[in-house]
């Protein structure tokens, strides 16, 4: 039991999904809702450089004003996390590509007030020097991070002796839970979850380089609007902005709002670029196949990408009632998945065996029937076109609404 709590600690190679935004486009960047998660006056990081080898590596980031920052170390895998106030990252992604001691570098919004840089190290590291220096003209401010190789034991000590009392982390755990609008007793509440967000961009489109987090948010909004047109249905979004939510936060938001359904939306990439079409996933201890297992492993990396501490697997809970609840919830989830696929039949292309299952952490609510819907694949040019097409999104939202209505009718007929 509970194997799906396990986090895959392996970075998947080649998934360096950087947010590419050029300095000259900064004005446009600020105009995009959520570029810095809606902050009024975000810092501007307008330049970045990385130099060095696998023993010492220096990172320099130029800011328009003095950045207040805090640094933390996280183990499994070894990461350095730099927390900042809301920041617009306006330098080309290639200027901060991982090298030297670092094998992966991400940066982006965490919520409205904070941003983060996560440096995943190839081996244990420490910052020998961290400082903000003013540039030659006394105008800009550059954050200099000098990393050096250390041994495993020293890194473990760094992790153990640091304190996490900064506000950035505290703010995240107390952030307001979104509420569905005016829920009446008897309303069927549905949590619509836009996959990824903020520092976790998700997949990147092959052709247009569109980020998965934008595709999922646009579709989530369309779906929630469509569902809310139905009497007795109240849909709400787990996030309505470009912010990061941990997988556990998504589950918690659904449960705290007493959602009767949880639908997580995605549009990932596959190595096999010819594969296209929708897939519906439900949770299971054991994956249905390799494709499902790989996808769940990548999805479950989201917290790690955002510099979250790896949660240890909770001890086996011998609770027969919880076990029964889980089984019942799983049966409902499967029934919803089947309802969705019968709506898609002859209307939307799906992959072979379109109902698959694996240990997705975002589907782990014991009491909320949950599915993860891969709308299509951003690795396929034809799918990518559809995902960006508003009328296609509208059609998909209609079909999903029909599926939800049919599911609800069958649950009510069975006294659920
Ligand atoms: Zn995804």
């Amino acid at each position: 039991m509970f194997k799906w709590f396990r986090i895959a600690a392996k970075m998947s190679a080649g998934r360096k999904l950087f947010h590419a935004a050029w300095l000259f486009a900064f004005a446009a960047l600020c105009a995009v809702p959520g570029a810095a998660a809606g902050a009024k006056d975000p810092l501007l990081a307008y330049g970045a450089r990385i130099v060095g080898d696998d023993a010492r590596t220096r990172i320099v980031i130029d800011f328009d004003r003095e950045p207040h920052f805090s640094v933390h170390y996280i183990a499994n895998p070894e990461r350095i996390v730099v927390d900042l106030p809301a920041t617009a990252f306006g330098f080309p992604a290639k200027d901060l590509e991982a090298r030297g001691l670092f094998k992966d570098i991400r940066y982006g919004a965490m919520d409205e007030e904070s941003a983060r840089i996560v440096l995943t190290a190839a081996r244990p590291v420490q910052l020998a020097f961290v400082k903000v220096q003013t540039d030659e003209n006394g105008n800009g401010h550059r954050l200099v991070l000098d990393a050096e190789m250390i041994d495993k034991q020293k890194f473990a000590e760094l992790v153990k002796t640091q304190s996490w009392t900064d506000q950035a982390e505290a703010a995240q755990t107390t952030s307001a839970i979104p509420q569905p609008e005016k829920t009446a007793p008897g309303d069927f509440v549905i949590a619509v979850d836009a996959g990824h967000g903020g520092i976790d961009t998700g997949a990147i489109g092959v052709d247009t380089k569109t980020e998965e987090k934008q595709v999922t948010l646009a579709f989530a909004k369309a779906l929630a609007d469509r569902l809310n047109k139905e009497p007795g249905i109240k849909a709400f979004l787990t996030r309505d902005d470009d912010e990061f939510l941990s997988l556990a936060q998504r589950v918690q938001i659904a449960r705290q709002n007493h959602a009767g359904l949880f639908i997580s939306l995605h549009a990932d990439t596959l190595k096999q670029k010819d594969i296209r079409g929708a897939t519906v996933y439900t949770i299971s201890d054991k994956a249905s196949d390799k494709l499902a297992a790989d996808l769940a492993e990548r999805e479950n990396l989201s917290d790690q990408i955002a510099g979250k501490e790896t949660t240890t697997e909770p001890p086996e809970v011998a609770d027969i009632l919880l076990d029964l609840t889980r089984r019942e919830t799983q049966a409902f989830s499967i029934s919803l998945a089947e309802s969705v696929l019968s709506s898609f039949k002859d209307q939307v292309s799906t992959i072979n065996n379109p109902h698959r299952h694996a240990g997705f952490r975002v589907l782990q609510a014991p009491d909320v029937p949950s599915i993860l819907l891969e709308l299509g694949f951003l690795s396929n040019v034809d799918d990518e076109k559809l995902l960006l097409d508003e009328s296609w999104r509208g059609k998909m939202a209609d079909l999903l609404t029909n599926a939800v209505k049919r599911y609800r009718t069958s649950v009510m007929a069975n006294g659920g």
Side-chain angles (χ1 to χ4, degrees):
M1 279 302 285
F2 299 154
K3 289 218 180 69
W4 56 71
F5 284 101
R6 194 165 289 154
I7 293 181
K10 214 176 75 200
M11 279 314 277
S12 64
R15 262 177 61 89
K16 294 170 183 173
L17 310 178
F18 300 116
H19 185 97
W22 294 84
L23 178 55
F24 63 75
F26 176 60
L29 188 79
C30 284
V32 175
K40 272 179 229 105
D41 192 16
L43 283 172
L44 169 61
Y46 62 85
R49 298 170 284 296
I50 177 166
V51 291
D53 52 32
D54 56 5
R56 292 186 71 92
T57 303
R58 166 173 286 192
I59 291 172
V60 179
I61 302 171
D62 301 308
F63 289 90
D64 63 333
R65 21 187 225 286
E66 188 178 351
H68 294 279
F69 67 94
S70 62
V71 171
H72 291 103
Y73 297 91
I74 303 179
N76 306 313
E78 286 101 357
R79 282 158 293 165
I80 297 174
V81 168
V82 182
D83 278 312
L84 293 159
T87 303
F89 293 91
F91 50 80
K94 65 174 174 48
D95 290 357
L96 200 54
E97 260 173 28
R99 59 172 291 169
L101 280 166
F102 299 108
K103 61 179 182 187
D104 190 73
I105 299 178
R106 314 262 178 156
Y107 42 85
M110 293 300 284
D111 57 30
E112 266 188 45
E113 272 119 47
S114 66
R116 178 172 273 192
I117 301 167
V118 180
L119 309 165
T120 303
R123 62 195 64 206
V125 288
Q126 72 172 1
L127 292 178
F129 179 86
V130 198
K131 217 178 160 181
V132 177
Q133 300 172 326
T134 43
D135 70 10
E136 301 78 32
N137 313 316
N139 296 324
H141 299 267
R142 54 175 178 238
L143 175 63
V144 181
L145 307 163
D146 276 344
E148 64 181 15
M149 190 177 97
I150 53 171
D151 63 36
K152 261 199 138 42
Q153 201 185 340
K154 188 140 188 230
F155 187 85
E157 273 165 38
L158 279 175
V159 171
K160 223 167 95 184
T161 52
Q162 70 187 344
S163 74
W164 274 94
T165 51
D166 60 291
Q167 290 172 334
E169 196 64 15
Q172 268 176 53
T173 49
T174 56
S175 65
I177 302 281
Q179 301 287 328
E181 284 169 37
K182 289 176 251 131
T183 317
D187 274 348
F188 192 49
V189 179
I190 302 171
V192 178
D193 177 56
H196 309 276
I199 191 169
D200 174 18
T201 51
I204 304 277
V206 264
D207 190 21
T208 61
K209 306 284 177 250
T210 308
E211 293 166 340
E212 184 184 356
K213 65 175 182 178
Q214 297 170 345
V215 172
T216 60
L217 184 58
F219 188 80
K221 285 179 174 170
L223 178 59
D225 286 349
R226 177 63 190 83
L227 285 166
N228 281 326
K229 292 205 172 96
E230 297 296 325
I233 292 183
K234 283 281 171 290
F236 73 99
L237 301 169
T238 54
R239 70 172 177 99
D240 61 3
D241 211 337
D242 182 23
E243 64 175 334
F244 176 80
L245 289 177
S246 71
L247 299 171
Q249 279 174 318
R250 295 169 193 268
V251 175
Q252 191 192 10
I253 289 167
R255 296 188 71 197
Q256 291 193 347
N257 283 298
H258 308 290
L261 279 184
F262 176 87
I263 302 174
S264 190
L265 299 163
H266 289 262
D268 279 276
T269 48
L270 291 176
K271 278 185 210 114
Q272 306 91 318
K273 302 222 181 309
D274 54 323
I275 297 185
R276 60 172 302 200
T279 327
V280 184
Y281 289 94
T282 49
I283 197 164
S284 68
D285 280 351
K286 202 171 170 295
S288 54
D289 57 284
K290 176 94 167 64
L291 190 144
D294 289 352
L295 190 73
E297 186 179 311
R298 277 190 283 139
E299 288 301 336
N300 290 349
L301 281 175
S302 176
D303 293 358
Q304 183 183 309
I305 285 167
K308 290 275 170 187
E309 284 185 89
T310 311
T311 46
T312 46
E313 195 170 340
E316 204 97 329
V317 185
D319 184 333
I320 201 153
L321 284 177
L322 184 65
D323 197 24
L324 284 172
T325 305
R326 276 189 195 285
R327 278 184 213 202
E328 194 184 46
T329 301
Q330 195 168 7
F332 284 130
S333 303
I334 289 167
S335 150
L336 174 66
E338 282 165 1
S339 182
V340 167
L341 286 169
S342 70
S343 272
F344 284 178
K345 200 167 190 308
D346 304 323
Q347 300 288 321
V348 172
S349 70
T350 55
I351 72 168
N352 289 337
N353 307 316
H355 179 191
R356 299 186 184 218
H357 43 91
F360 292 93
R361 295 183 71 231
V362 79
L363 302 180
Q364 73 186 16
D367 49 358
V368 186
S370 304
I371 58 166
L372 185 145
L373 172 62
E374 286 285 348
L375 296 158
F377 291 103
L378 280 171
S379 42
N380 180 278
V381 181
D382 298 315
D383 267 8
E384 187 181 11
K385 269 198 203 101
L386 290 179
L387 289 162
L388 298 175
D389 178 356
E390 211 180 311
S391 64
W392 181 83
R393 288 204 290 254
K395 180 185 164 189
M396 282 292 268
D398 283 342
L399 294 171
L400 283 166
T401 302
N402 290 340
V404 166
K405 281 162 69 184
R406 193 169 40 243
Y407 165 85
R408 191 190 181 199
T409 307
S410 77
V411 168
M412 289 202 303
N414 290 313

